[in-house]
Amino acid sequence: MPTSRYGRVLLVGLVLLTAVALWQTRDGTPALALVNAHPQRVMGTDCTLVAAVAPGDIARAQKALEAAEAVIRDVEARMSVYVEASELSRLNRAVAGENVPLTADTLGVLRIARDAASKTAGAFDATCPPVLLLWKDAGERGKRPSEDALSAAREATGWTRFELTSSGAQKKMADARLDLGGIAKGHAIDRTVGALKKANVKAGLVEIGGDVRVFGPGPKGQGWAVHLRHPFRKGSCGTIELQDAAVCTSGSYQRFTEIEGQRYSHIIDPRTARPVQDVPSVTVVAPDCITADIWATALSVLGPEGLEKLAAIDGLEALLITGRPEDFAIHQTPGFARLLRDPLRLE
Ligand code: AMP
Ligand code: MG
């Protein structure tokens, strides 16, 4: 979980619904009130919202945080495959050729997901559920899927199996499915930052399950400090300083299935229909969170070679850790190295 320089303040917020602390200037006068909230069970994980406002604006900030939480829950209600009534679940249940009406926001995310498939050379593929389900089933049975099952699942994926219209989407084949698990969190964070800014909150932080976006000046006028999760054990392996940016981490160390004594990541390589291996952690910094979310998943698939593709896009920086605890390698863009406060601590 990321903390900011107000580590103590965030801890207080874990106990209370919203907590407030006054950030002191050097001469002791309160400069900013830090109002924070920790909505429970958001997108299946933890969440931290922080609004930094003038001390006279605390009540307004609390209202803004309540509205921000509603924005996240709205995205979850429409885009989660775990919510039966979501727009995405309805589309997944639809028969081929049925036009499923979608809200502009959901349709917008589907368009971004479709574009991401070509920008990442097929590494990010939201049409991958046939492959995900095959490996979920394999995990439950404790047996690796057969070659035939793998090629059938791979054949069942791809954006040619969907048509996006101006008001909704259609499946072209009955077995086509979508999963926005690699993108919806980033989108929810972006929308939440937008809602806070609209409510005239000039600086703050939104975090869901370790993915973060910060905006406005940090408490002392410079950046916000965000801790990076250690890929192989509990705790942090470094701290980056961010200003008006997002950071997302994808990691197989967090979520995996064990089959026949081997660990398999929750991220699959759409090109081979197999879970990715040997990339335990990818962290991406981007101007917005949906982009960081997409690329953290995509680089988990592409590995260090993917850094070249990422370098061609302005404002993106990445850190990849490959290998195993006893034999790992660090790959990072020069810009990522500059964001690090101190050298990484991976031993
Ligand atoms: P993240 O933790 O952001 O990397 O997202 C991983 C989630 O995205 C998984 O739990 C799946 O729901 C989905 N997913 C897995 N592999 C891919 C992929 N190659 N492209 C897009 N989504 C994926
Ligand atoms: Mg992602």
Side-chain angles (χ1 to χ4, degrees), residues 154-188:
R154 197 178 49 223
E155 285 300 306
T157 67
W159 276 100
T160 53
R161 305 185 141 240
F162 287 89
E163 189 175 327
L164 304 183
T165 66
S166 55
S167 60
Q170 274 187 26
K171 294 202 296 197
K172 291 187 179 166
M173 324 272 173
D175 58 354
R177 298 279 182 283
L178 283 170
D179 178 313
L180 296 176
I183 191 171
K185 224 192 303 160
H187 175 66

PDB file of all heavy atoms in Angstrom, residues 154-188:
ATOM      1  N   ARG A 154      -7.472 -19.817 -27.373  1.00  0.00           N
ATOM      2  CA  ARG A 154      -6.836 -18.689 -28.077  1.00  0.00           C
ATOM      3  C   ARG A 154      -7.691 -18.268 -29.278  1.00  0.00           C
ATOM      4  O   ARG A 154      -7.880 -17.084 -29.529  1.00  0.00           O
ATOM      5  CB  ARG A 154      -5.426 -19.072 -28.518  1.00  0.00           C
ATOM      6  CG  ARG A 154      -4.594 -17.844 -28.855  1.00  0.00           C
ATOM      7  CD  ARG A 154      -3.189 -18.190 -29.255  1.00  0.00           C
ATOM      8  NE  ARG A 154      -3.184 -19.237 -30.263  1.00  0.00           N
ATOM      9  CZ  ARG A 154      -2.351 -20.268 -30.263  1.00  0.00           C
ATOM     10  NH1 ARG A 154      -1.469 -20.401 -29.301  1.00  0.00           N
ATOM     11  NH2 ARG A 154      -2.392 -21.162 -31.222  1.00  0.00           N
ATOM     12  N   GLU A 155      -8.212 -19.248 -29.972  1.00  0.00           N
ATOM     13  CA  GLU A 155      -9.079 -18.960 -31.129  1.00  0.00           C
ATOM     14  C   GLU A 155     -10.331 -18.180 -30.734  1.00  0.00           C
ATOM     15  O   GLU A 155     -10.896 -17.444 -31.535  1.00  0.00           O
ATOM     16  CB  GLU A 155      -9.530 -20.280 -31.779  1.00  0.00           C
ATOM     17  CG  GLU A 155      -8.454 -20.962 -32.580  1.00  0.00           C
ATOM     18  CD  GLU A 155      -7.967 -20.090 -33.723  1.00  0.00           C
ATOM     19  OE1 GLU A 155      -8.811 -19.648 -34.510  1.00  0.00           O
ATOM     20  OE2 GLU A 155      -6.743 -19.835 -33.800  1.00  0.00           O
ATOM     21  N   ALA A 156     -10.772 -18.387 -29.488  1.00  0.00           N
ATOM     22  CA  ALA A 156     -12.024 -17.752 -29.036  1.00  0.00           C
ATOM     23  C   ALA A 156     -11.822 -16.298 -28.590  1.00  0.00           C
ATOM     24  O   ALA A 156     -12.757 -15.662 -28.118  1.00  0.00           O
ATOM     25  CB  ALA A 156     -12.630 -18.574 -27.905  1.00  0.00           C
ATOM     26  N   THR A 157     -10.585 -15.774 -28.695  1.00  0.00           N
ATOM     27  CA  THR A 157     -10.320 -14.390 -28.275  1.00  0.00           C
ATOM     28  C   THR A 157     -10.128 -13.477 -29.493  1.00  0.00           C
ATOM     29  O   THR A 157     -10.029 -13.961 -30.623  1.00  0.00           O
ATOM     30  CB  THR A 157      -9.037 -14.299 -27.412  1.00  0.00           C
ATOM     31  OG1 THR A 157      -7.921 -14.618 -28.246  1.00  0.00           O
ATOM     32  CG2 THR A 157      -9.094 -15.256 -26.233  1.00  0.00           C
ATOM     33  N   GLY A 158     -10.066 -12.164 -29.245  1.00  0.00           N
ATOM     34  CA  GLY A 158      -9.772 -11.202 -30.311  1.00  0.00           C
ATOM     35  C   GLY A 158     -10.902 -10.208 -30.502  1.00  0.00           C
ATOM     36  O   GLY A 158     -12.081 -10.543 -30.345  1.00  0.00           O
ATOM     37  N   TRP A 159     -10.525  -8.971 -30.821  1.00  0.00           N
ATOM     38  CA  TRP A 159     -11.513  -7.897 -30.958  1.00  0.00           C
ATOM     39  C   TRP A 159     -12.364  -8.030 -32.223  1.00  0.00           C
ATOM     40  O   TRP A 159     -13.372  -7.353 -32.360  1.00  0.00           O
ATOM     41  CB  TRP A 159     -10.815  -6.524 -30.911  1.00  0.00           C
ATOM     42  CG  TRP A 159     -10.611  -6.095 -29.492  1.00  0.00           C
ATOM     43  CD1 TRP A 159      -9.464  -6.194 -28.763  1.00  0.00           C
ATOM     44  CD2 TRP A 159     -11.600  -5.526 -28.621  1.00  0.00           C
ATOM     45  NE1 TRP A 159      -9.673  -5.729 -27.488  1.00  0.00           N
ATOM     46  CE2 TRP A 159     -10.976  -5.311 -27.378  1.00  0.00           C
ATOM     47  CE3 TRP A 159     -12.952  -5.183 -28.753  1.00  0.00           C
ATOM     48  CZ2 TRP A 159     -11.644  -4.752 -26.281  1.00  0.00           C
ATOM     49  CZ3 TRP A 159     -13.624  -4.632 -27.664  1.00  0.00           C
ATOM     50  CH2 TRP A 159     -12.972  -4.423 -26.453  1.00  0.00           C
ATOM     51  N   THR A 160     -11.948  -8.931 -33.172  1.00  0.00           N
ATOM     52  CA  THR A 160     -12.789  -9.145 -34.353  1.00  0.00           C
ATOM     53  C   THR A 160     -14.105  -9.806 -33.929  1.00  0.00           C
ATOM     54  O   THR A 160     -15.050  -9.851 -34.706  1.00  0.00           O
ATOM     55  CB  THR A 160     -12.083 -10.059 -35.370  1.00  0.00           C
ATOM     56  OG1 THR A 160     -11.677 -11.234 -34.682  1.00  0.00           O
ATOM     57  CG2 THR A 160     -10.893  -9.384 -36.016  1.00  0.00           C
ATOM     58  N   ARG A 161     -14.148 -10.315 -32.717  1.00  0.00           N
ATOM     59  CA  ARG A 161     -15.360 -10.996 -32.224  1.00  0.00           C
ATOM     60  C   ARG A 161     -16.354 -10.026 -31.587  1.00  0.00           C
ATOM     61  O   ARG A 161     -17.385 -10.445 -31.068  1.00  0.00           O
ATOM     62  CB  ARG A 161     -14.964 -12.073 -31.209  1.00  0.00           C
ATOM     63  CG  ARG A 161     -13.973 -13.007 -31.831  1.00  0.00           C
ATOM     64  CD  ARG A 161     -13.616 -14.159 -30.954  1.00  0.00           C
ATOM     65  NE  ARG A 161     -13.495 -15.322 -31.814  1.00  0.00           N
ATOM     66  CZ  ARG A 161     -14.208 -16.416 -31.711  1.00  0.00           C
ATOM     67  NH1 ARG A 161     -15.096 -16.543 -30.760  1.00  0.00           N
ATOM     68  NH2 ARG A 161     -14.046 -17.400 -32.551  1.00  0.00           N
ATOM     69  N   PHE A 162     -16.022  -8.733 -31.603  1.00  0.00           N
ATOM     70  CA  PHE A 162     -16.923  -7.714 -31.046  1.00  0.00           C
ATOM     71  C   PHE A 162     -17.097  -6.568 -32.026  1.00  0.00           C
ATOM     72  O   PHE A 162     -16.163  -6.215 -32.743  1.00  0.00           O
ATOM     73  CB  PHE A 162     -16.341  -7.126 -29.740  1.00  0.00           C
ATOM     74  CG  PHE A 162     -16.421  -8.081 -28.596  1.00  0.00           C
ATOM     75  CD1 PHE A 162     -15.382  -8.969 -28.353  1.00  0.00           C
ATOM     76  CD2 PHE A 162     -17.523  -8.108 -27.764  1.00  0.00           C
ATOM     77  CE1 PHE A 162     -15.451  -9.869 -27.310  1.00  0.00           C
ATOM     78  CE2 PHE A 162     -17.607  -9.006 -26.712  1.00  0.00           C
ATOM     79  CZ  PHE A 162     -16.564  -9.885 -26.492  1.00  0.00           C
ATOM     80  N   GLU A 163     -18.267  -5.979 -31.973  1.00  0.00           N
ATOM     81  CA  GLU A 163     -18.459  -4.739 -32.726  1.00  0.00           C
ATOM     82  C   GLU A 163     -18.916  -3.673 -31.751  1.00  0.00           C
ATOM     83  O   GLU A 163     -19.858  -3.886 -30.979  1.00  0.00           O
ATOM     84  CB  GLU A 163     -19.518  -4.948 -33.803  1.00  0.00           C
ATOM     85  CG  GLU A 163     -19.571  -3.754 -34.732  1.00  0.00           C
ATOM     86  CD  GLU A 163     -20.545  -3.985 -35.885  1.00  0.00           C
ATOM     87  OE1 GLU A 163     -20.689  -5.137 -36.337  1.00  0.00           O
ATOM     88  OE2 GLU A 163     -21.156  -2.982 -36.288  1.00  0.00           O
ATOM     89  N   LEU A 164     -18.208  -2.523 -31.755  1.00  0.00           N
ATOM     90  CA  LEU A 164     -18.626  -1.411 -30.901  1.00  0.00           C
ATOM     91  C   LEU A 164     -19.404  -0.434 -31.773  1.00  0.00           C
ATOM     92  O   LEU A 164     -18.920  -0.029 -32.833  1.00  0.00           O
ATOM     93  CB  LEU A 164     -17.406  -0.717 -30.278  1.00  0.00           C
ATOM     94  CG  LEU A 164     -16.450  -1.619 -29.479  1.00  0.00           C
ATOM     95  CD1 LEU A 164     -15.333  -0.785 -28.849  1.00  0.00           C
ATOM     96  CD2 LEU A 164     -17.200  -2.396 -28.400  1.00  0.00           C
ATOM     97  N   THR A 165     -20.615  -0.075 -31.333  1.00  0.00           N
ATOM     98  CA  THR A 165     -21.425   0.860 -32.116  1.00  0.00           C
ATOM     99  C   THR A 165     -21.422   2.215 -31.395  1.00  0.00           C
ATOM    100  O   THR A 165     -20.726   2.382 -30.392  1.00  0.00           O
ATOM    101  CB  THR A 165     -22.863   0.345 -32.247  1.00  0.00           C
ATOM    102  OG1 THR A 165     -23.461   0.346 -30.943  1.00  0.00           O
ATOM    103  CG2 THR A 165     -22.903  -1.071 -32.812  1.00  0.00           C
ATOM    104  N   SER A 166     -22.228   3.150 -31.872  1.00  0.00           N
ATOM    105  CA  SER A 166     -22.212   4.469 -31.219  1.00  0.00           C
ATOM    106  C   SER A 166     -22.915   4.429 -29.861  1.00  0.00           C
ATOM    107  O   SER A 166     -22.719   5.298 -29.022  1.00  0.00           O
ATOM    108  CB  SER A 166     -22.870   5.501 -32.124  1.00  0.00           C
ATOM    109  OG  SER A 166     -24.160   5.042 -32.443  1.00  0.00           O
ATOM    110  N   SER A 167     -23.718   3.392 -29.612  1.00  0.00           N
ATOM    111  CA  SER A 167     -24.480   3.383 -28.350  1.00  0.00           C
ATOM    112  C   SER A 167     -24.326   2.089 -27.550  1.00  0.00           C
ATOM    113  O   SER A 167     -24.933   1.931 -26.496  1.00  0.00           O
ATOM    114  CB  SER A 167     -25.966   3.570 -28.670  1.00  0.00           C
ATOM    115  OG  SER A 167     -26.383   2.495 -29.506  1.00  0.00           O
ATOM    116  N   GLY A 168     -23.531   1.151 -28.056  1.00  0.00           N
ATOM    117  CA  GLY A 168     -23.398  -0.113 -27.329  1.00  0.00           C
ATOM    118  C   GLY A 168     -22.415  -1.052 -27.998  1.00  0.00           C
ATOM    119  O   GLY A 168     -21.517  -0.605 -28.718  1.00  0.00           O
ATOM    120  N   ALA A 169     -22.594  -2.332 -27.752  1.00  0.00           N
ATOM    121  CA  ALA A 169     -21.686  -3.319 -28.341  1.00  0.00           C
ATOM    122  C   ALA A 169     -22.443  -4.592 -28.668  1.00  0.00           C
ATOM    123  O   ALA A 169     -23.502  -4.866 -28.098  1.00  0.00           O
ATOM    124  CB  ALA A 169     -20.554  -3.622 -27.370  1.00  0.00           C
ATOM    125  N   GLN A 170     -21.863  -5.346 -29.588  1.00  0.00           N
ATOM    126  CA  GLN A 170     -22.438  -6.630 -30.024  1.00  0.00           C
ATOM    127  C   GLN A 170     -21.355  -7.678 -30.040  1.00  0.00           C
ATOM    128  O   GLN A 170     -20.235  -7.390 -30.455  1.00  0.00           O
ATOM    129  CB  GLN A 170     -22.879  -6.517 -31.491  1.00  0.00           C
ATOM    130  CG  GLN A 170     -24.222  -5.988 -31.701  1.00  0.00           C
ATOM    131  CD  GLN A 170     -24.588  -6.092 -33.197  1.00  0.00           C
ATOM    132  OE1 GLN A 170     -24.084  -6.934 -33.932  1.00  0.00           O
ATOM    133  NE2 GLN A 170     -25.485  -5.221 -33.606  1.00  0.00           N
ATOM    134  N   LYS A 171     -21.722  -8.875 -29.640  1.00  0.00           N
ATOM    135  CA  LYS A 171     -20.798  -9.994 -29.840  1.00  0.00           C
ATOM    136  C   LYS A 171     -21.082 -10.563 -31.218  1.00  0.00           C
ATOM    137  O   LYS A 171     -22.234 -10.649 -31.627  1.00  0.00           O
ATOM    138  CB  LYS A 171     -21.072 -11.080 -28.800  1.00  0.00           C
ATOM    139  CG  LYS A 171     -20.770 -10.656 -27.397  1.00  0.00           C
ATOM    140  CD  LYS A 171     -20.537 -11.834 -26.479  1.00  0.00           C
ATOM    141  CE  LYS A 171     -21.744 -12.696 -26.314  1.00  0.00           C
ATOM    142  NZ  LYS A 171     -21.661 -13.593 -25.153  1.00  0.00           N
ATOM    143  N   LYS A 172     -20.025 -10.957 -31.916  1.00  0.00           N
ATOM    144  CA  LYS A 172     -20.263 -11.580 -33.223  1.00  0.00           C
ATOM    145  C   LYS A 172     -20.292 -13.089 -33.094  1.00  0.00           C
ATOM    146  O   LYS A 172     -20.790 -13.774 -33.983  1.00  0.00           O
ATOM    147  CB  LYS A 172     -19.175 -11.155 -34.192  1.00  0.00           C
ATOM    148  CG  LYS A 172     -19.272  -9.677 -34.546  1.00  0.00           C
ATOM    149  CD  LYS A 172     -18.285  -9.381 -35.631  1.00  0.00           C
ATOM    150  CE  LYS A 172     -18.340  -7.943 -36.058  1.00  0.00           C
ATOM    151  NZ  LYS A 172     -17.166  -7.627 -36.868  1.00  0.00           N
ATOM    152  N   MET A 173     -19.701 -13.599 -32.028  1.00  0.00           N
ATOM    153  CA  MET A 173     -19.729 -15.051 -31.766  1.00  0.00           C
ATOM    154  C   MET A 173     -20.262 -15.248 -30.346  1.00  0.00           C
ATOM    155  O   MET A 173     -19.925 -14.481 -29.445  1.00  0.00           O
ATOM    156  CB  MET A 173     -18.312 -15.663 -31.805  1.00  0.00           C
ATOM    157  CG  MET A 173     -17.395 -15.067 -32.803  1.00  0.00           C
ATOM    158  SD  MET A 173     -17.577 -15.887 -34.369  1.00  0.00           S
ATOM    159  CE  MET A 173     -16.546 -14.881 -35.410  1.00  0.00           C
ATOM    160  N   ALA A 174     -21.005 -16.319 -30.165  1.00  0.00           N
ATOM    161  CA  ALA A 174     -21.657 -16.547 -28.865  1.00  0.00           C
ATOM    162  C   ALA A 174     -20.644 -16.701 -27.722  1.00  0.00           C
ATOM    163  O   ALA A 174     -20.889 -16.273 -26.604  1.00  0.00           O
ATOM    164  CB  ALA A 174     -22.523 -17.795 -28.954  1.00  0.00           C
ATOM    165  N   ASP A 175     -19.469 -17.309 -28.010  1.00  0.00           N
ATOM    166  CA  ASP A 175     -18.530 -17.591 -26.916  1.00  0.00           C
ATOM    167  C   ASP A 175     -17.575 -16.430 -26.610  1.00  0.00           C
ATOM    168  O   ASP A 175     -16.715 -16.546 -25.735  1.00  0.00           O
ATOM    169  CB  ASP A 175     -17.729 -18.871 -27.218  1.00  0.00           C
ATOM    170  CG  ASP A 175     -16.950 -18.765 -28.529  1.00  0.00           C
ATOM    171  OD1 ASP A 175     -17.122 -17.744 -29.250  1.00  0.00           O
ATOM    172  OD2 ASP A 175     -16.171 -19.691 -28.839  1.00  0.00           O
ATOM    173  N   ALA A 176     -17.706 -15.292 -27.304  1.00  0.00           N
ATOM    174  CA  ALA A 176     -16.823 -14.148 -27.033  1.00  0.00           C
ATOM    175  C   ALA A 176     -17.144 -13.547 -25.659  1.00  0.00           C
ATOM    176  O   ALA A 176     -18.303 -13.498 -25.257  1.00  0.00           O
ATOM    177  CB  ALA A 176     -16.998 -13.095 -28.123  1.00  0.00           C
ATOM    178  N   ARG A 177     -16.105 -13.127 -24.939  1.00  0.00           N
ATOM    179  CA  ARG A 177     -16.275 -12.534 -23.601  1.00  0.00           C
ATOM    180  C   ARG A 177     -15.290 -11.387 -23.417  1.00  0.00           C
ATOM    181  O   ARG A 177     -14.238 -11.358 -24.058  1.00  0.00           O
ATOM    182  CB  ARG A 177     -15.967 -13.562 -22.504  1.00  0.00           C
ATOM    183  CG  ARG A 177     -16.855 -14.785 -22.475  1.00  0.00           C
ATOM    184  CD  ARG A 177     -18.190 -14.488 -21.771  1.00  0.00           C
ATOM    185  NE  ARG A 177     -19.022 -15.666 -21.700  1.00  0.00           N
ATOM    186  CZ  ARG A 177     -19.745 -16.178 -22.707  1.00  0.00           C
ATOM    187  NH1 ARG A 177     -19.718 -15.595 -23.895  1.00  0.00           N
ATOM    188  NH2 ARG A 177     -20.472 -17.249 -22.544  1.00  0.00           N
ATOM    189  N   LEU A 178     -15.620 -10.480 -22.494  1.00  0.00           N
ATOM    190  CA  LEU A 178     -14.713  -9.371 -22.163  1.00  0.00           C
ATOM    191  C   LEU A 178     -14.413  -9.358 -20.668  1.00  0.00           C
ATOM    192  O   LEU A 178     -15.254  -9.747 -19.859  1.00  0.00           O
ATOM    193  CB  LEU A 178     -15.350  -8.030 -22.544  1.00  0.00           C
ATOM    194  CG  LEU A 178     -15.341  -7.662 -24.024  1.00  0.00           C
ATOM    195  CD1 LEU A 178     -16.230  -6.439 -24.255  1.00  0.00           C
ATOM    196  CD2 LEU A 178     -13.920  -7.372 -24.496  1.00  0.00           C
ATOM    197  N   ASP A 179     -13.221  -8.869 -20.317  1.00  0.00           N
ATOM    198  CA  ASP A 179     -12.828  -8.711 -18.911  1.00  0.00           C
ATOM    199  C   ASP A 179     -12.059  -7.395 -18.821  1.00  0.00           C
ATOM    200  O   ASP A 179     -11.070  -7.211 -19.533  1.00  0.00           O
ATOM    201  CB  ASP A 179     -11.926  -9.892 -18.527  1.00  0.00           C
ATOM    202  CG  ASP A 179     -11.428  -9.804 -17.092  1.00  0.00           C
ATOM    203  OD1 ASP A 179     -10.959  -8.719 -16.689  1.00  0.00           O
ATOM    204  OD2 ASP A 179     -11.484 -10.806 -16.393  1.00  0.00           O
ATOM    205  N   LEU A 180     -12.524  -6.482 -17.961  1.00  0.00           N
ATOM    206  CA  LEU A 180     -11.841  -5.196 -17.840  1.00  0.00           C
ATOM    207  C   LEU A 180     -10.986  -5.133 -16.566  1.00  0.00           C
ATOM    208  O   LEU A 180     -10.640  -4.057 -16.092  1.00  0.00           O
ATOM    209  CB  LEU A 180     -12.868  -4.052 -17.878  1.00  0.00           C
ATOM    210  CG  LEU A 180     -13.627  -3.927 -19.212  1.00  0.00           C
ATOM    211  CD1 LEU A 180     -14.689  -2.834 -19.144  1.00  0.00           C
ATOM    212  CD2 LEU A 180     -12.667  -3.645 -20.376  1.00  0.00           C
ATOM    213  N   GLY A 181     -10.646  -6.324 -16.031  1.00  0.00           N
ATOM    214  CA  GLY A 181      -9.872  -6.393 -14.789  1.00  0.00           C
ATOM    215  C   GLY A 181      -8.505  -5.710 -14.885  1.00  0.00           C
ATOM    216  O   GLY A 181      -7.939  -5.314 -13.871  1.00  0.00           O
ATOM    217  N   GLY A 182      -7.972  -5.567 -16.098  1.00  0.00           N
ATOM    218  CA  GLY A 182      -6.657  -4.942 -16.250  1.00  0.00           C
ATOM    219  C   GLY A 182      -6.734  -3.458 -16.562  1.00  0.00           C
ATOM    220  O   GLY A 182      -5.699  -2.835 -16.845  1.00  0.00           O
ATOM    221  N   ILE A 183      -7.920  -2.870 -16.491  1.00  0.00           N
ATOM    222  CA  ILE A 183      -8.064  -1.478 -16.930  1.00  0.00           C
ATOM    223  C   ILE A 183      -9.080  -0.673 -16.099  1.00  0.00           C
ATOM    224  O   ILE A 183      -8.940   0.546 -15.939  1.00  0.00           O
ATOM    225  CB  ILE A 183      -8.450  -1.456 -18.444  1.00  0.00           C
ATOM    226  CG1 ILE A 183      -8.373  -0.085 -19.066  1.00  0.00           C
ATOM    227  CG2 ILE A 183      -9.812  -2.037 -18.686  1.00  0.00           C
ATOM    228  CD1 ILE A 183      -8.546  -0.095 -20.592  1.00  0.00           C
ATOM    229  N   ALA A 184     -10.085  -1.363 -15.511  1.00  0.00           N
ATOM    230  CA  ALA A 184     -11.185  -0.643 -14.847  1.00  0.00           C
ATOM    231  C   ALA A 184     -10.722   0.112 -13.605  1.00  0.00           C
ATOM    232  O   ALA A 184     -11.224   1.210 -13.314  1.00  0.00           O
ATOM    233  CB  ALA A 184     -12.297  -1.620 -14.477  1.00  0.00           C
ATOM    234  N   LYS A 185      -9.752  -0.464 -12.889  1.00  0.00           N
ATOM    235  CA  LYS A 185      -9.269   0.206 -11.681  1.00  0.00           C
ATOM    236  C   LYS A 185      -8.599   1.535 -12.053  1.00  0.00           C
ATOM    237  O   LYS A 185      -8.843   2.570 -11.435  1.00  0.00           O
ATOM    238  CB  LYS A 185      -8.258  -0.704 -10.973  1.00  0.00           C
ATOM    239  CG  LYS A 185      -8.496  -0.750  -9.485  1.00  0.00           C
ATOM    240  CD  LYS A 185      -7.372  -1.400  -8.744  1.00  0.00           C
ATOM    241  CE  LYS A 185      -7.025  -2.803  -9.174  1.00  0.00           C
ATOM    242  NZ  LYS A 185      -5.651  -3.145  -8.741  1.00  0.00           N
ATOM    243  N   GLY A 186      -7.754   1.482 -13.096  1.00  0.00           N
ATOM    244  CA  GLY A 186      -7.079   2.706 -13.552  1.00  0.00           C
ATOM    245  C   GLY A 186      -8.095   3.752 -13.979  1.00  0.00           C
ATOM    246  O   GLY A 186      -7.968   4.933 -13.658  1.00  0.00           O
ATOM    247  N   HIS A 187      -9.124   3.305 -14.696  1.00  0.00           N
ATOM    248  CA  HIS A 187     -10.166   4.242 -15.143  1.00  0.00           C
ATOM    249  C   HIS A 187     -10.915   4.826 -13.947  1.00  0.00           C
ATOM    250  O   HIS A 187     -11.183   6.029 -13.900  1.00  0.00           O
ATOM    251  CB  HIS A 187     -11.137   3.517 -16.073  1.00  0.00           C
ATOM    252  CG  HIS A 187     -12.299   4.361 -16.473  1.00  0.00           C
ATOM    253  ND1 HIS A 187     -12.163   5.493 -17.247  1.00  0.00           N
ATOM    254  CD2 HIS A 187     -13.625   4.262 -16.177  1.00  0.00           C
ATOM    255  CE1 HIS A 187     -13.358   6.043 -17.421  1.00  0.00           C
ATOM    256  NE2 HIS A 187     -14.254   5.317 -16.781  1.00  0.00           N
ATOM    257  N   ALA A 188     -11.256   3.973 -12.968  1.00  0.00           N
ATOM    258  CA  ALA A 188     -11.986   4.457 -11.784  1.00  0.00           C
ATOM    259  C   ALA A 188     -11.150   5.508 -11.052  1.00  0.00           C
ATOM    260  O   ALA A 188     -11.681   6.531 -10.589  1.00  0.00           O
ATOM    261  CB  ALA A 188     -12.307   3.284 -10.862  1.00  0.00           C
TER     262      ALA A 188
END
